[in-house]
Amino acid sequence: MSHLDLIGHKKRKRRLRVFRFKSFGEPGYPIEFVGPFRENVKALLEFGHLQSNSYCEMPSWSFQLELHRHPPFHILLLIIEEPVEASLNRHCKHCQYIGWGHHMICNKKYHFLLPSKDTVTAFLNCEGNSDNGAGTANGKTNLMELQGHIMHGVFHSNGFGHLLCVNGVEMGSDLAGHQIMEFWDRLCTGLGARKVSLNDISQKRGMELRLLHGIAYGEPWFRRWGYKFGRGTFCVTQPMYQKAVKAIQGLPLGLLGYHFGTSNHDIPIIFSRYQTLSDHSLDTLGDLFHFMFELKSRLPKDNCINTYNQGVLMETTCRWSPKRVEMATRVIVEALKRAEFRWVSRQEVRDAARVYIGDTGLLDFVLKSLGNHIVGNYLVHRSLNPVTKVLEYCLEDISNVLPNQEVLVMNNPKVKARYKINRVQLMKDMFYLYKYILKDQKLALSTGIFSAIPVATRIIHDSKYLIKEYCGEFPLKVELGLEGMLNLYCTISLRSNEDAGEEGSRKAMPPYECVTLKNNATIDELKLEVERNFKEMYWGLRSFVVESVLNLNAKGTDLVFGHVEVGHKLVFKGSTKEQGVIISEQIHECGLTNHVVDCPCGAKDDDGERMVSCDICEVWQHTQCVRIPNNEEIPHIFLCNRCEHDIVLLPSLP
């Protein structure tokens, strides 16, 4: 079923062109993608179907994408052009959170949507309510504002963008997460995006994928597509993030097994289960999670693999009879039972069994053969202690699988099912480790190496803003065109900010743009072309006028090609009719900085986390940093520590 069928355009008179989903965005499909971002978007929209304001009061185009032909299945790509005049808030909060608040506000944003069935249905229901007088104030429902899209990304017209959501199979999508990301990455590469940010809140079966993937691979899941640490909340830096990942990755399984084994027997058993399956020693928590992820990718979707053996395997050349081997096995199991289900070294087991069996060769043979074997109502686990490098054994009582039955459970199918590994069981084991090791709040009260686990996981949790640089500062290779055209890198500096210091200069310099001219163009024509390009792109430069070229000494009638070399960067100084605060603040994404952020964690600006303002000094701080839990409402009256201290020091009234 197609998402287009859900939308149901009854007025459509012509059949839409269908594009292949797996190829859309590649060079030449549907366009060559050879210009700067804004030109590539315009060229792409020419291949889309212009909608008649069906989705919102903004221009929108749709593309029908074919996932597969047999059976036929299509999804909808919707591109919505959002003019700054139609925005509810022209300042972009995503730019502020990632640290791009100094960027100028663009005249347009382009939203790229893969609507889900749920969002389309919700949109149609809202539209029906709007027709009956309900809905938004203007009687229209904005599809961009609905949550739950398969994908939602937005670009500013200068090529900077944000990936707002990716919802894969676990959220009911027909596309896997990696398919959505590959599609998005092709779009960004083809369109010539400069930089793209995202807020990594991805989850896998209720677990933070950023944490799991960081432990297993040392980097986030989105790193597969080139996304790296961009900015952390609560003043977390990249070195802090890297140290936190290495700290958790390097936790020895032996120490974890001893620490948790006294109160939780399942954790050492899980360690032993995957150590048995691995061809190499799993020494650390990072080794274990890496092996589990790799094993999951190799496991068949439906079939299982055994993690246990039924009894001790007997070779035909074995010099001991089956009866003697069975007797020695039961003696060893009885010795392990007396250890009360704790891990015991091989030497301890051997010494305890020698009291009853004097043949040390037989004991060595059985101990060598035992490992994830079922003997009676017990499963014998064997693992190599990564610290002492000594083999250790432990029993697991499996009689509760078939309660009130006295038969041996070794060949029972229920027991076999329990000790077989498939993808579901592997994810259950991973969730168990995630819950009782990575998210155990009791560890915050412990000492030594284990007290670092909650701190490290918190740092990784707060390292969620990622960035990928596609074209960077310079979107195109500057060269002399084959058709007699010259491409130059140009930017502008506002005269109203020339005395604002370093910060004002940084804000006044937008990224370089590629300006195309004829080879015989003059300096005056270059100025006019720069004016046109920057007026078209930035909201605050609608009345911008170029006055001079800072790094070029030439007359207006001089030819550009005679004074400027290919690859030279030019800065054009100018001004706008609006001056003062309007220019210095309101034309940038950060907006008017009418509030002060000074948090104990060191944060000096808004990073997207929940904050509270002091009712006396009006300084903003993170609620988490002032010990207001996230599940509690912000108090009606709040005083920061500094103001509380000042009040205490005030002299009492007579």
Side-chain angles (χ1 to χ4, degrees), residues 367-628:
L367 287 172
K368 181 181 178 182
S369 304
L370 277 178
N372 277 22
H373 285 70
I374 292 178
V375 180
N377 291 337
Y378 299 96
L379 177 63
V380 183
H381 293 279
R382 182 180 65 185
S383 177
L384 180 68
N385 189 312
V387 178
T388 62
K389 304 301 180 183
V390 172
L391 282 176
E392 295 181 343
Y393 295 83
C394 179
L395 281 186
E396 180 187 0
D397 187 355
I398 57 176
S399 60
N400 58 349
V401 176
L402 288 177
N404 302 323
Q405 295 191 32
E406 297 180 355
V407 298
L408 291 179
V409 297
M410 191 166 100
N411 295 316
N412 192 281
K414 291 186 178 180
V415 177
K416 291 183 178 181
R418 178 176 175 179
Y419 295 100
K420 286 187 175 183
I421 286 292
N422 54 23
R423 292 191 178 188
V424 175
Q425 181 61 47
L426 187 146
M427 293 307 298
K428 287 182 179 179
D429 291 341
M430 190 177 291
F431 182 80
Y432 195 88
L433 299 177
Y434 175 86
K435 179 180 179 180
Y436 290 103
I437 295 181
L438 302 178
K439 290 297 183 177
D440 187 1
Q441 299 300 324
K442 297 178 182 178
L443 291 176
L445 304 176
S446 60
T447 58
I449 189 174
F450 302 106
S451 63
I453 295 178
V455 177
T457 54
R458 187 73 223 178
I459 290 174
I460 297 174
H461 177 270
D462 295 333
S463 307
K464 57 186 180 182
Y465 290 120
L466 309 179
I467 294 178
K468 177 175 181 179
E469 184 171 329
Y470 285 88
C471 297
E473 184 181 4
F474 305 107
L476 286 177
K477 182 180 178 181
V478 174
E479 57 185 10
L480 187 64
L482 297 177
E483 299 179 359
M485 305 298 287
L486 178 67
N487 295 329
L488 299 174
Y489 284 139
C490 303
T491 188
I492 62 101
S493 176
L494 289 176
R495 180 168 54 82
S496 59
N497 285 300
E498 61 185 0
D499 298 326
E502 182 179 350
E503 180 66 19
S505 300
R506 186 170 72 97
K507 283 186 176 182
M509 292 277 288
Y512 283 90
E513 295 296 332
C514 184
V515 177
T516 303
L517 294 170
K518 295 181 179 179
N519 289 343
N520 59 354
T522 64
I523 299 296
D524 285 337
E525 290 174 332
L526 172 60
K527 291 179 179 179
L528 291 175
E529 188 64 19
V530 169
E531 284 182 9
R532 185 188 68 81
N533 275 270
F534 282 86
K535 284 180 179 179
E536 180 182 324
M537 186 171 300
Y538 295 105
W539 175 74
L541 301 180
R542 292 166 297 178
S543 58
F544 176 71
V545 177
V546 172
E547 297 172 350
S548 61
V549 187
L550 292 181
N551 49 350
L552 183 65
N553 186 16
K555 297 179 181 179
T557 56
D558 292 344
L559 294 178
V560 175
F561 190 64
H563 290 79
V564 181
E565 298 179 358
V566 173
H568 192 63
K569 299 188 288 289
L570 299 176
V571 179
F572 293 79
K573 184 178 179 181
S575 62
T576 62
K577 294 180 181 179
E578 300 88 354
Q579 298 294 329
V581 177
I582 295 179
I583 287 299
S584 63
E585 298 293 344
Q586 292 187 358
I587 67 173
H588 295 96
E589 297 290 3
C590 60
L592 290 171
T593 55
N594 55 0
H595 64 271
V596 178
V597 176
D598 187 9
C599 188
C601 69
K604 300 299 181 183
D605 52 9
D606 189 3
D607 57 7
E609 299 291 346
R610 193 173 71 149
M611 288 189 169
V612 60
S613 172
C614 176
D615 288 293
I616 294 180
C617 65
E618 298 184 346
V619 172
W620 291 81
Q621 299 173 317
H622 293 121
T623 55
Q624 180 176 308
C625 296
V626 295
R627 299 187 177 182
I628 301 176

Side-chain angles (χ1 to χ4, degrees), residues 222-490:
F222 291 99
R223 186 64 177 86
R224 295 168 58 182
W225 295 275
Y227 287 86
K228 303 177 183 178
F229 179 94
R231 192 186 192 194
T233 57
F234 301 100
C235 263
V236 170
T237 61
Q238 186 170 6
M240 292 170 61
Y241 166 74
Q242 293 172 338
K243 289 181 180 178
V245 170
K246 289 181 179 179
I248 297 187
Q249 278 185 320
L251 288 172
L253 291 186
L255 294 181
L256 289 171
Y258 278 117
H259 179 79
F260 291 98
T262 56
S263 59
N264 190 328
H265 300 298
D266 290 329
I267 289 179
I269 290 172
I270 292 176
F271 290 171
S272 175
R273 179 179 301 155
Y274 292 95
Q275 180 64 75
T276 304
L277 293 172
S278 175
D279 295 331
H280 58 277
S281 177
L282 303 179
D283 297 333
T284 65
L285 194 63
D287 294 338
L288 176 61
F289 274 92
H290 183 272
F291 176 73
M292 293 176 79
F293 270 105
E294 293 298 312
L295 179 62
K296 178 178 177 292
S297 65
R298 299 196 303 267
L299 280 175
K301 291 185 178 181
D302 301 320
N303 298 331
C304 308
I305 59 175
N306 288 325
T307 64
Y308 74 98
N309 297 292
Q310 299 180 8
V312 177
L313 297 178
M314 296 284 295
E315 298 179 3
T316 56
T317 58
C318 181
R319 61 187 176 123
W320 293 283
S321 66
K323 186 175 180 179
R324 293 192 65 191
V325 171
E326 181 182 352
M327 180 183 66
T329 302
R330 291 190 178 276
V331 169
I332 290 174
V333 169
E334 289 298 322
L336 290 173
K337 285 169 64 176
R338 291 193 293 271
E340 297 180 348
F341 302 99
R342 64 180 177 87
W343 286 91
V344 182
S345 69
R346 178 185 180 280
Q347 189 61 43
E348 289 182 68
V349 179
R350 188 174 186 269
D351 292 342
R354 280 195 65 186
V355 177
Y356 303 96
I357 297 178
D359 190 342
T360 56
L362 174 59
L363 290 178
D364 291 338
F365 170 76
V366 175
L367 287 172
K368 181 181 178 182
S369 304
L370 277 178
N372 277 22
H373 285 70
I374 292 178
V375 180
N377 291 337
Y378 299 96
L379 177 63
V380 183
H381 293 279
R382 182 180 65 185
S383 177
L384 180 68
N385 189 312
V387 178
T388 62
K389 304 301 180 183
V390 172
L391 282 176
E392 295 181 343
Y393 295 83
C394 179
L395 281 186
E396 180 187 0
D397 187 355
I398 57 176
S399 60
N400 58 349
V401 176
L402 288 177
N404 302 323
Q405 295 191 32
E406 297 180 355
V407 298
L408 291 179
V409 297
M410 191 166 100
N411 295 316
N412 192 281
K414 291 186 178 180
V415 177
K416 291 183 178 181
R418 178 176 175 179
Y419 295 100
K420 286 187 175 183
I421 286 292
N422 54 23
R423 292 191 178 188
V424 175
Q425 181 61 47
L426 187 146
M427 293 307 298
K428 287 182 179 179
D429 291 341
M430 190 177 291
F431 182 80
Y432 195 88
L433 299 177
Y434 175 86
K435 179 180 179 180
Y436 290 103
I437 295 181
L438 302 178
K439 290 297 183 177
D440 187 1
Q441 299 300 324
K442 297 178 182 178
L443 291 176
L445 304 176
S446 60
T447 58
I449 189 174
F450 302 106
S451 63
I453 295 178
V455 177
T457 54
R458 187 73 223 178
I459 290 174
I460 297 174
H461 177 270
D462 295 333
S463 307
K464 57 186 180 182
Y465 290 120
L466 309 179
I467 294 178
K468 177 175 181 179
E469 184 171 329
Y470 285 88
C471 297
E473 184 181 4
F474 305 107
L476 286 177
K477 182 180 178 181
V478 174
E479 57 185 10
L480 187 64
L482 297 177
E483 299 179 359
M485 305 298 287
L486 178 67
N487 295 329
L488 299 174
Y489 284 139
C490 303

Side-chain angles (χ1 to χ4, degrees), residues 8-60:
H9 296 288
K10 297 180 180 179
K11 297 181 179 180
R12 185 178 293 123
K13 295 182 179 180
R14 63 183 179 88
R15 182 178 178 84
L16 292 180
R17 178 180 173 182
V18 178
F19 299 91
R20 297 186 306 275
F21 175 82
K22 293 182 179 180
S23 304
F24 194 85
E26 293 180 352
Y29 194 78
I31 62 172
E32 289 297 334
F33 300 109
V34 293
F37 174 81
R38 63 186 186 278
E39 299 299 333
N40 287 332
V41 171
K42 291 178 181 178
L44 178 63
L45 295 181
E46 292 181 3
F47 285 81
H49 175 72
L50 180 62
Q51 304 296 146
S52 57
N53 294 330
S54 301
Y55 305 101
C56 56
E57 296 181 326
M58 305 174 191
S60 57

